[in-house]
mmCIF file with all atom_site columns, all heavy atoms in Angstrom:
data_model
loop_
_atom_site.group_PDB
_atom_site.id
_atom_site.type_symbol
_atom_site.label_atom_id
_atom_site.label_alt_id
_atom_site.label_comp_id
_atom_site.label_asym_id
_atom_site.label_entity_id
_atom_site.label_seq_id
_atom_site.pdbx_PDB_ins_code
_atom_site.Cartn_x
_atom_site.Cartn_y
_atom_site.Cartn_z
_atom_site.occupancy
_atom_site.B_iso_or_equiv
_atom_site.pdbx_formal_charge
_atom_site.auth_seq_id
_atom_site.auth_comp_id
_atom_site.auth_asym_id
_atom_site.auth_atom_id
_atom_site.pdbx_PDB_model_num
ATOM 1   N N   . GLU A 1 45 ? 32.082 -39.476 -16.806 1.00 88.00 ? 69 GLU A N   1
ATOM 2   C CA  . GLU A 1 45 ? 32.930 -38.481 -17.473 1.00 88.00 ? 69 GLU A CA  1
ATOM 3   C C   . GLU A 1 45 ? 32.966 -37.141 -16.763 1.00 88.00 ? 69 GLU A C   1
ATOM 4   O O   . GLU A 1 45 ? 33.899 -36.368 -16.944 1.00 88.00 ? 69 GLU A O   1
ATOM 5   C CB  . GLU A 1 45 ? 32.474 -38.283 -18.921 1.00 88.00 ? 69 GLU A CB  1
ATOM 6   C CG  . GLU A 1 45 ? 32.817 -39.442 -19.806 1.00 88.00 ? 69 GLU A CG  1
ATOM 7   C CD  . GLU A 1 45 ? 32.603 -39.125 -21.272 1.00 88.00 ? 69 GLU A CD  1
ATOM 8   O OE1 . GLU A 1 45 ? 32.952 -38.011 -21.691 1.00 88.00 ? 69 GLU A OE1 1
ATOM 9   O OE2 . GLU A 1 45 ? 32.090 -40.001 -21.972 1.00 88.00 ? 69 GLU A OE2 1
ATOM 10  N N   . ASP A 1 46 ? 31.969 -36.828 -15.968 1.00 89.00 ? 70 ASP A N   1
ATOM 11  C CA  . ASP A 1 46 ? 31.917 -35.529 -15.305 1.00 89.00 ? 70 ASP A CA  1
ATOM 12  C C   . ASP A 1 46 ? 32.712 -35.486 -14.008 1.00 89.00 ? 70 ASP A C   1
ATOM 13  O O   . ASP A 1 46 ? 32.813 -34.433 -13.387 1.00 89.00 ? 70 ASP A O   1
ATOM 14  C CB  . ASP A 1 46 ? 30.463 -35.141 -15.031 1.00 89.00 ? 70 ASP A CB  1
ATOM 15  C CG  . ASP A 1 46 ? 29.676 -34.944 -16.315 1.00 89.00 ? 70 ASP A CG  1
ATOM 16  O OD1 . ASP A 1 46 ? 30.293 -34.560 -17.334 1.00 89.00 ? 70 ASP A OD1 1
ATOM 17  O OD2 . ASP A 1 46 ? 28.458 -35.165 -16.300 1.00 89.00 ? 70 ASP A OD2 1
ATOM 18  N N   . PHE A 1 47 ? 33.279 -36.601 -13.587 1.00 91.00 ? 71 PHE A N   1
ATOM 19  C CA  . PHE A 1 47 ? 34.059 -36.656 -12.349 1.00 91.00 ? 71 PHE A CA  1
ATOM 20  C C   . PHE A 1 47 ? 35.380 -35.920 -12.570 1.00 91.00 ? 71 PHE A C   1
ATOM 21  O O   . PHE A 1 47 ? 36.205 -36.318 -13.398 1.00 91.00 ? 71 PHE A O   1
ATOM 22  C CB  . PHE A 1 47 ? 34.285 -38.114 -11.948 1.00 91.00 ? 71 PHE A CB  1
ATOM 23  C CG  . PHE A 1 47 ? 34.857 -38.309 -10.582 1.00 91.00 ? 71 PHE A CG  1
ATOM 24  C CD1 . PHE A 1 47 ? 34.180 -37.862 -9.459  1.00 91.00 ? 71 PHE A CD1 1
ATOM 25  C CD2 . PHE A 1 47 ? 36.061 -38.958 -10.413 1.00 91.00 ? 71 PHE A CD2 1
ATOM 26  C CE1 . PHE A 1 47 ? 34.702 -38.055 -8.188  1.00 91.00 ? 71 PHE A CE1 1
ATOM 27  C CE2 . PHE A 1 47 ? 36.598 -39.151 -9.156  1.00 91.00 ? 71 PHE A CE2 1
ATOM 28  C CZ  . PHE A 1 47 ? 35.918 -38.702 -8.037  1.00 91.00 ? 71 PHE A CZ  1
ATOM 29  N N   . ALA A 1 48 ? 35.579 -34.826 -11.865 1.00 90.00 ? 72 ALA A N   1
ATOM 30  C CA  . ALA A 1 48 ? 36.711 -33.921 -12.107 1.00 90.00 ? 72 ALA A CA  1
ATOM 31  C C   . ALA A 1 48 ? 38.089 -34.581 -12.007 1.00 90.00 ? 72 ALA A C   1
ATOM 32  O O   . ALA A 1 48 ? 38.952 -34.295 -12.845 1.00 90.00 ? 72 ALA A O   1
ATOM 33  C CB  . ALA A 1 48 ? 36.631 -32.726 -11.169 1.00 90.00 ? 72 ALA A CB  1
ATOM 34  N N   . PRO A 1 49 ? 38.363 -35.438 -11.029 1.00 91.00 ? 73 PRO A N   1
ATOM 35  C CA  . PRO A 1 49 ? 39.701 -36.046 -10.974 1.00 91.00 ? 73 PRO A CA  1
ATOM 36  C C   . PRO A 1 49 ? 40.064 -36.874 -12.209 1.00 91.00 ? 73 PRO A C   1
ATOM 37  O O   . PRO A 1 49 ? 41.240 -37.017 -12.536 1.00 91.00 ? 73 PRO A O   1
ATOM 38  C CB  . PRO A 1 49 ? 39.654 -36.921 -9.722  1.00 91.00 ? 73 PRO A CB  1
ATOM 39  C CG  . PRO A 1 49 ? 38.656 -36.223 -8.845  1.00 91.00 ? 73 PRO A CG  1
ATOM 40  C CD  . PRO A 1 49 ? 37.606 -35.712 -9.808  1.00 91.00 ? 73 PRO A CD  1
ATOM 41  N N   . CYS A 1 50 ? 39.075 -37.400 -12.915 1.00 93.00 ? 74 CYS A N   1
ATOM 42  C CA  . CYS A 1 50 ? 39.361 -38.157 -14.142 1.00 93.00 ? 74 CYS A CA  1
ATOM 43  C C   . CYS A 1 50 ? 39.985 -37.262 -15.199 1.00 93.00 ? 74 CYS A C   1
ATOM 44  O O   . CYS A 1 50 ? 40.807 -37.725 -16.008 1.00 93.00 ? 74 CYS A O   1
ATOM 45  C CB  . CYS A 1 50 ? 38.082 -38.775 -14.709 1.00 93.00 ? 74 CYS A CB  1
ATOM 46  S SG  . CYS A 1 50 ? 37.328 -40.041 -13.678 1.00 93.00 ? 74 CYS A SG  1
ATOM 47  N N   . LYS A 1 51 ? 39.625 -36.006 -15.193 1.00 92.00 ? 75 LYS A N   1
ATOM 48  C CA  . LYS A 1 51 ? 40.131 -35.088 -16.210 1.00 92.00 ? 75 LYS A CA  1
ATOM 49  C C   . LYS A 1 51 ? 41.638 -34.892 -16.105 1.00 92.00 ? 75 LYS A C   1
ATOM 50  O O   . LYS A 1 51 ? 42.296 -34.600 -17.099 1.00 92.00 ? 75 LYS A O   1
ATOM 51  C CB  . LYS A 1 51 ? 39.395 -33.751 -16.119 1.00 92.00 ? 75 LYS A CB  1
ATOM 52  C CG  . LYS A 1 51 ? 37.930 -33.898 -16.497 1.00 92.00 ? 75 LYS A CG  1
ATOM 53  C CD  . LYS A 1 51 ? 37.175 -32.611 -16.365 1.00 92.00 ? 75 LYS A CD  1
ATOM 54  C CE  . LYS A 1 51 ? 35.700 -32.866 -16.678 1.00 92.00 ? 75 LYS A CE  1
ATOM 55  N NZ  . LYS A 1 51 ? 34.890 -31.692 -16.508 1.00 92.00 ? 75 LYS A NZ  1
ATOM 56  N N   . GLN A 1 52 ? 42.210 -35.089 -14.911 1.00 91.00 ? 76 GLN A N   1
ATOM 57  C CA  . GLN A 1 52 ? 43.662 -34.975 -14.751 1.00 91.00 ? 76 GLN A CA  1
ATOM 58  C C   . GLN A 1 52 ? 44.365 -36.066 -15.553 1.00 91.00 ? 76 GLN A C   1
ATOM 59  O O   . GLN A 1 52 ? 45.388 -35.821 -16.172 1.00 91.00 ? 76 GLN A O   1
ATOM 60  C CB  . GLN A 1 52 ? 44.062 -35.053 -13.274 1.00 91.00 ? 76 GLN A CB  1
ATOM 61  C CG  . GLN A 1 52 ? 45.557 -35.021 -13.049 1.00 91.00 ? 76 GLN A CG  1
ATOM 62  C CD  . GLN A 1 52 ? 46.229 -33.797 -13.624 1.00 91.00 ? 76 GLN A CD  1
ATOM 63  O OE1 . GLN A 1 52 ? 45.675 -32.705 -13.626 1.00 91.00 ? 76 GLN A OE1 1
ATOM 64  N NE2 . GLN A 1 52 ? 47.435 -33.964 -14.130 1.00 91.00 ? 76 GLN A NE2 1
ATOM 65  N N   . PHE A 1 53 ? 43.816 -37.275 -15.554 1.00 93.00 ? 77 PHE A N   1
ATOM 66  C CA  . PHE A 1 53 ? 44.402 -38.358 -16.349 1.00 93.00 ? 77 PHE A CA  1
ATOM 67  C C   . PHE A 1 53 ? 44.353 -38.014 -17.834 1.00 93.00 ? 77 PHE A C   1
ATOM 68  O O   . PHE A 1 53 ? 45.302 -38.258 -18.573 1.00 93.00 ? 77 PHE A O   1
ATOM 69  C CB  . PHE A 1 53 ? 43.674 -39.683 -16.108 1.00 93.00 ? 77 PHE A CB  1
ATOM 70  C CG  . PHE A 1 53 ? 43.839 -40.237 -14.723 1.00 93.00 ? 77 PHE A CG  1
ATOM 71  C CD1 . PHE A 1 53 ? 42.731 -40.526 -13.946 1.00 93.00 ? 77 PHE A CD1 1
ATOM 72  C CD2 . PHE A 1 53 ? 45.097 -40.490 -14.194 1.00 93.00 ? 77 PHE A CD2 1
ATOM 73  C CE1 . PHE A 1 53 ? 42.863 -41.053 -12.676 1.00 93.00 ? 77 PHE A CE1 1
ATOM 74  C CE2 . PHE A 1 53 ? 45.251 -41.016 -12.921 1.00 93.00 ? 77 PHE A CE2 1
ATOM 75  C CZ  . PHE A 1 53 ? 44.129 -41.299 -12.156 1.00 93.00 ? 77 PHE A CZ  1
ATOM 76  N N   . LYS A 1 54 ? 43.232 -37.442 -18.272 1.00 94.00 ? 78 LYS A N   1
ATOM 77  C CA  . LYS A 1 54 ? 43.099 -37.084 -19.687 1.00 94.00 ? 78 LYS A CA  1
ATOM 78  C C   . LYS A 1 54 ? 44.103 -35.997 -20.065 1.00 94.00 ? 78 LYS A C   1
ATOM 79  O O   . LYS A 1 54 ? 44.745 -36.073 -21.111 1.00 94.00 ? 78 LYS A O   1
ATOM 80  C CB  . LYS A 1 54 ? 41.678 -36.626 -19.992 1.00 94.00 ? 78 LYS A CB  1
ATOM 81  C CG  . LYS A 1 54 ? 41.461 -36.374 -21.468 1.00 94.00 ? 78 LYS A CG  1
ATOM 82  C CD  . LYS A 1 54 ? 40.022 -36.100 -21.806 1.00 94.00 ? 78 LYS A CD  1
ATOM 83  C CE  . LYS A 1 54 ? 39.860 -35.980 -23.304 1.00 94.00 ? 78 LYS A CE  1
ATOM 84  N NZ  . LYS A 1 54 ? 38.480 -35.906 -23.702 1.00 94.00 ? 78 LYS A NZ  1
ATOM 85  N N   . ARG A 1 55 ? 44.240 -34.979 -19.224 1.00 91.00 ? 79 ARG A N   1
ATOM 86  C CA  . ARG A 1 55 ? 45.221 -33.925 -19.504 1.00 91.00 ? 79 ARG A CA  1
ATOM 87  C C   . ARG A 1 55 ? 46.633 -34.509 -19.575 1.00 91.00 ? 79 ARG A C   1
ATOM 88  O O   . ARG A 1 55 ? 47.431 -34.136 -20.432 1.00 91.00 ? 79 ARG A O   1
ATOM 89  C CB  . ARG A 1 55 ? 45.160 -32.839 -18.441 1.00 91.00 ? 79 ARG A CB  1
ATOM 90  C CG  . ARG A 1 55 ? 44.003 -31.888 -18.618 1.00 91.00 ? 79 ARG A CG  1
ATOM 91  C CD  . ARG A 1 55 ? 44.147 -30.659 -17.741 1.00 91.00 ? 79 ARG A CD  1
ATOM 92  N NE  . ARG A 1 55 ? 44.139 -30.976 -16.313 1.00 91.00 ? 79 ARG A NE  1
ATOM 93  C CZ  . ARG A 1 55 ? 43.035 -31.022 -15.569 1.00 91.00 ? 79 ARG A CZ  1
ATOM 94  N NH1 . ARG A 1 55 ? 41.858 -30.759 -16.101 1.00 91.00 ? 79 ARG A NH1 1
ATOM 95  N NH2 . ARG A 1 55 ? 43.114 -31.314 -14.292 1.00 91.00 ? 79 ARG A NH2 1
ATOM 96  N N   . ALA A 1 56 ? 46.925 -35.456 -18.683 1.00 91.00 ? 80 ALA A N   1
ATOM 97  C CA  . ALA A 1 56 ? 48.261 -36.053 -18.653 1.00 91.00 ? 80 ALA A CA  1
ATOM 98  C C   . ALA A 1 56 ? 48.538 -36.860 -19.909 1.00 91.00 ? 80 ALA A C   1
ATOM 99  O O   . ALA A 1 56 ? 49.585 -36.712 -20.535 1.00 91.00 ? 80 ALA A O   1
ATOM 100 C CB  . ALA A 1 56 ? 48.427 -36.919 -17.413 1.00 91.00 ? 80 ALA A CB  1
ATOM 101 N N   . TYR A 1 57 ? 47.579 -37.722 -20.319 1.00 93.00 ? 81 TYR A N   1
ATOM 102 C CA  . TYR A 1 57 ? 47.872 -38.526 -21.511 1.00 93.00 ? 81 TYR A CA  1
ATOM 103 C C   . TYR A 1 57 ? 47.865 -37.679 -22.772 1.00 93.00 ? 81 TYR A C   1
ATOM 104 O O   . TYR A 1 57 ? 48.624 -37.944 -23.702 1.00 93.00 ? 81 TYR A O   1
ATOM 105 C CB  . TYR A 1 57 ? 47.007 -39.776 -21.618 1.00 93.00 ? 81 TYR A CB  1
ATOM 106 C CG  . TYR A 1 57 ? 45.628 -39.665 -22.228 1.00 93.00 ? 81 TYR A CG  1
ATOM 107 C CD1 . TYR A 1 57 ? 45.448 -39.462 -23.597 1.00 93.00 ? 81 TYR A CD1 1
ATOM 108 C CD2 . TYR A 1 57 ? 44.494 -39.827 -21.452 1.00 93.00 ? 81 TYR A CD2 1
ATOM 109 C CE1 . TYR A 1 57 ? 44.177 -39.400 -24.153 1.00 93.00 ? 81 TYR A CE1 1
ATOM 110 C CE2 . TYR A 1 57 ? 43.230 -39.774 -22.000 1.00 93.00 ? 81 TYR A CE2 1
ATOM 111 C CZ  . TYR A 1 57 ? 43.073 -39.561 -23.359 1.00 93.00 ? 81 TYR A CZ  1
ATOM 112 O OH  . TYR A 1 57 ? 41.823 -39.505 -23.915 1.00 93.00 ? 81 TYR A OH  1
ATOM 113 N N   . ASN A 1 58 ? 47.065 -36.625 -22.819 1.00 94.00 ? 82 ASN A N   1
ATOM 114 C CA  . ASN A 1 58 ? 47.115 -35.736 -23.985 1.00 94.00 ? 82 ASN A CA  1
ATOM 115 C C   . ASN A 1 58 ? 48.436 -34.992 -24.064 1.00 94.00 ? 82 ASN A C   1
ATOM 116 O O   . ASN A 1 58 ? 48.906 -34.660 -25.150 1.00 94.00 ? 82 ASN A O   1
ATOM 117 C CB  . ASN A 1 58 ? 45.944 -34.751 -23.972 1.00 94.00 ? 82 ASN A CB  1
ATOM 118 C CG  . ASN A 1 58 ? 44.686 -35.342 -24.532 1.00 94.00 ? 82 ASN A CG  1
ATOM 119 O OD1 . ASN A 1 58 ? 44.712 -36.056 -25.517 1.00 94.00 ? 82 ASN A OD1 1
ATOM 120 N ND2 . ASN A 1 58 ? 43.567 -35.061 -23.888 1.00 94.00 ? 82 ASN A ND2 1
ATOM 121 N N   . SER A 1 59 ? 49.036 -34.745 -22.918 1.00 90.00 ? 83 SER A N   1
ATOM 122 C CA  . SER A 1 59 ? 50.322 -34.061 -22.875 1.00 90.00 ? 83 SER A CA  1
ATOM 123 C C   . SER A 1 59 ? 51.473 -35.009 -23.206 1.00 90.00 ? 83 SER A C   1
ATOM 124 O O   . SER A 1 59 ? 52.413 -34.631 -23.898 1.00 90.00 ? 83 SER A O   1
ATOM 125 C CB  . SER A 1 59 ? 50.530 -33.464 -21.487 1.00 90.00 ? 83 SER A CB  1
ATOM 126 O OG  . SER A 1 59 ? 51.814 -32.930 -21.352 1.00 90.00 ? 83 SER A OG  1
ATOM 127 N N   . LEU A 1 60 ? 51.401 -36.247 -22.734 1.00 90.00 ? 84 LEU A N   1
ATOM 128 C CA  . LEU A 1 60 ? 52.512 -37.184 -22.863 1.00 90.00 ? 84 LEU A CA  1
ATOM 129 C C   . LEU A 1 60 ? 52.496 -38.019 -24.136 1.00 90.00 ? 84 LEU A C   1
ATOM 130 O O   . LEU A 1 60 ? 53.541 -38.348 -24.674 1.00 90.00 ? 84 LEU A O   1
ATOM 131 C CB  . LEU A 1 60 ? 52.515 -38.149 -21.668 1.00 90.00 ? 84 LEU A CB  1
ATOM 132 C CG  . LEU A 1 60 ? 52.837 -37.543 -20.313 1.00 90.00 ? 84 LEU A CG  1
ATOM 133 C CD1 . LEU A 1 60 ? 52.475 -38.516 -19.203 1.00 90.00 ? 84 LEU A CD1 1
ATOM 134 C CD2 . LEU A 1 60 ? 54.291 -37.167 -20.245 1.00 90.00 ? 84 LEU A CD2 1
#
Side-chain angles (χ1 to χ4, degrees):
E69 287 191 41
D70 296 331
F71 190 61
C74 294
K75 293 178 184 177
Q76 177 57 35
F77 293 124
K78 185 172 185 172
R79 282 193 297 270
Y81 84 72
N82 277 319
S83 173
L84 293 166

